[in-house]
Amino acid sequence: MDQKIKQDLCIGANIRKLRLKSGLTQEQVSIKLQLDGINMSRDFYAHIENGTYNIRTSELAALRRLFQCHYDDFFQGI
């Protein structure tokens, strides 16, 4: 029996676009997330943008507040 594994959605490219639209560096985003109570280094944040880390809902909520966007913005084109 052949099983197919469903791939997770990669929203990293959309997160990168939102960051660039906001005029922030990865370092600035990680600092702002830390101030919002999310423990995240710049290297760790880079993994989110590259799609090599599955983001947690608390991190996604913090990014939504930071970028002042809607959740739909993370999933554009997916």
Side-chain angles (χ1 to χ4, degrees):
M1 189 178 286
D2 208 11
Q3 274 189 327
K4 292 189 179 192
I5 298 174
K6 183 179 176 187
Q7 292 286 355
D8 285 333
L9 299 175
C10 181
I11 62 173
N14 289 337
I15 292 173
R16 179 181 290 119
K17 288 176 190 174
L18 290 165
R19 175 181 60 80
L20 293 173
K21 183 179 175 183
S22 297
L24 298 170
T25 65
Q26 289 181 343
E27 184 71 24
Q28 290 169 322
V29 170
S30 66
I31 290 169
K32 289 178 181 286
L33 289 173
Q34 290 173 24
L35 292 172
D36 196 25
I38 303 295
N39 185 18
M40 186 171 300
S41 67
R42 195 223 41 94
D43 291 337
F44 200 69
Y45 176 78
H47 286 291
I48 291 173
E49 286 192 1
N50 291 326
T52 56
Y53 170 76
N54 289 328
I55 191 167
R56 296 178 175 166
T57 55
S58 59
E59 295 162 346
L60 191 64
L63 287 171
R64 185 193 61 79
R65 288 189 300 273
L66 175 62
F67 297 140
Q68 298 179 357
C69 65
H70 300 281
Y71 286 111
D72 292 349
D73 296 327
F74 294 116
F75 301 97
Q76 291 291 321
I78 296 178

